[in-house]
Amino acid sequence: MIERHLVSTTLEIPSYRIEGSFGIVRGIVVRSRSVVGAVGASLQTIFGGNITLYTSLCERARRDAYERMVAEAEVLGANAIVGMRYDATEIARGISEVLCYGTAVHASRSP
């Protein structure tokens, strides 16, 4: 399993040397809002502030996309991911895609 500290938004990992690249890996999740969630979120907008129902939905989608990316990297034999990014697109009203991507690499501790 790829440890969390070995996934980085930078192109290097402190104290590690990149020894090889397996190429780009990604995790994609497409989610829609439920009718109940949309009604609950609409009620939260009346009072303003953080719309917790949508925050939870977004966090779940990002976590799932991240986990799929890591799983793809592990299948390739990587033990780290560099240059990790998120992207999100609204495909249709109420339907969003969340993409998590990066470069799967083999990294070893620097001496």
Side-chain angles (χ1 to χ4, degrees):
M1 172 139 193
I2 295 175
E3 298 177 42
R4 281 189 145 350
H5 74 281
L6 293 178
V7 177
S8 176
T9 58
T10 65
L11 298 177
E12 59 187 27
I13 299 171
S15 302
Y16 283 81
R17 183 177 64 246
I18 306 297
E19 295 184 348
S21 174
F22 296 95
I24 295 172
V25 288
R26 64 182 181 200
I28 300 172
V29 174
V30 176
R31 290 280 161 80
S32 66
R33 298 184 302 241
S34 69
V35 172
V36 174
V39 170
S42 296
L43 291 172
Q44 285 186 321
T45 62
I46 293 170
F47 301 103
N50 185 20
I51 303 171
T52 57
L53 291 169
Y54 286 153
T55 301
S56 295
L57 179 67
C58 290
E59 284 297 331
R60 254 191 334 272
R62 285 185 186 104
R63 182 183 59 241
D64 291 349
Y66 174 92
E67 289 172 359
R68 289 179 183 190
M69 176 196 64
V70 168
E72 185 176 323
E74 289 173 341
V75 166
L76 295 175
N79 69 341
I81 298 171
V82 295
M84 192 275 298
R85 302 282 187 271
Y86 285 106
D87 193 11
T89 305
E90 187 174 39
I91 295 173
R93 186 171 181 194
I95 301 174
S96 297
E97 168 207 35
V98 176
L99 168 66
C100 185
Y101 62 96
T103 301
V105 298
H106 183 269
S108 62
R109 275 228 180 251
S110 296

